[in-house]
Amino acid sequence: MGTIFLYEIAGTAMLMLLGVGVVANVVLGKTKGNGGGWLLISFGWGLAVFAGVYVAYKTGAHLNPAVTFGILSSGAAEYADGIPVNFVNTVAYLAAELIGAMLGAFLAWAVYKKHYDEEKDPGSILGTFSTGPEIRSYGWNFITEVVATFVLVIVILLFGGTPDKLGPLAVALIVVAIGASLGGPTGYAINPARDLGPRIVHALLPIPHKGGSDWAYSWVPIAGPLVGAVLAGLLSRALI
């Protein structure tokens, strides 16, 4: 459990520091990257995953409860080399991922604090921390997250059974692809910890003009990715 906590917290914190950071750089006013656009965000998140996976290499670099649930539902015996699939280890992964996501979001806020202080639009502030739909339709937003996370998890599981040798780069590239292709409707959470952890941090931090944390929507980027991950894990049994 100590290994899981150390590496998954560090890796997920790295992921969120760079992920929340690229959104803040593009969205907040008076930054060097203001207005950089969706592709900058997509590539930034992909490279954030690349860095996070390297940091958490010893525990298989889940960084994401959807990945953990995908492996669990695939019937695998281990989450990573030497880490068996069991209840205690599952809880350790989930807790570490959430803590790491909160820590990374907090650090990104610290980097951009003066820009947050000057931002007047509550939607822009919240949008740097968590995802939200461009057209609010909970059912369709849920389906978007199911499909996008299914793509992420099934590809990750198949990578493990093929001689690609690309490692973290392969995962980073699929995240870029999902962002560019499927990220438009909801901002592609594809990771419950990625959305919930920063949303909690947003609710707690004393940011001027921040408004509410949109808890009414918060179930979508939790439930959708978990359902998509389980479906991918079940399908992988037939493909691997």
Side-chain angles (χ1 to χ4, degrees):
M1 284 187 65
T3 300
I4 294 170
F5 267 92
L6 175 62
Y7 283 90
E8 288 294 320
I9 288 175
T12 310
M14 178 65 73
L15 164 67
M16 296 310 304
L17 169 60
L18 299 179
V20 172
V22 71
V23 182
N25 193 23
V26 169
V27 171
L28 299 179
K30 300 183 180 179
T31 67
K32 299 292 187 181
N34 179 254
W38 187 249
L39 283 180
L40 176 57
I41 291 175
S42 295
F43 273 97
W45 271 107
L47 295 173
V49 170
F50 183 78
V53 169
Y54 267 115
V55 170
Y57 75 99
K58 273 201 172 180
T59 53
H62 294 195
L63 316 180
N64 180 348
V67 173
T68 303
F69 271 87
I71 295 172
L72 177 64
S73 61
S74 75
E78 292 184 321
Y79 281 126
D81 289 342
I83 302 178
V85 173
N86 59 42
F87 177 78
V88 172
N89 287 340
T90 301
V91 172
Y93 270 102
L94 299 179
E97 288 152 4
L98 181 61
I99 293 168
M102 294 177 66
L103 175 60
F106 175 80
L107 292 174
W109 166 79
V111 170
Y112 283 94
K113 181 186 183 302
K114 300 305 292 184
H115 299 273
Y116 279 110
D117 288 346
E118 294 199 19
E119 181 61 57
K120 300 296 193 296
D121 179 24
S124 295
I125 294 171
L126 178 59
T128 66
F129 286 92
S130 57
T131 63
E134 288 300 300
I135 299 175
R136 188 171 296 253
S137 174
Y138 293 118
W140 289 108
N141 300 151
F142 173 80
I143 289 172
T144 297
E145 289 294 333
V146 169
V147 172
T149 310
F150 176 88
V151 172
L152 172 69
V153 175
I154 194 65
V155 172
I156 287 174
L157 293 174
L158 292 177
F159 280 156
T162 58
D164 55 79
K165 304 299 184 183
L166 293 176
L169 178 60
V171 183
L173 291 175
I174 192 60
V175 170
V176 173
I178 292 169
S181 300
L182 304 175
T186 62
Y188 72 118
I190 61 175
N191 181 340
R194 171 265 173 275
D195 195 272
L196 179 59
R199 197 182 296 270
I200 293 172
V201 172
H202 173 271
L204 295 176
L205 284 174
I207 304 174
H209 314 292
K210 70 176 182 178
S213 300
D214 196 11
W215 292 107
Y217 179 77
S218 64
W219 68 271
V220 173
I222 295 173
L226 292 181
V227 170
V230 170
L231 292 175
L234 294 175
L235 179 62
S236 73
R237 298 185 183 199
L239 298 178
I240 296 176

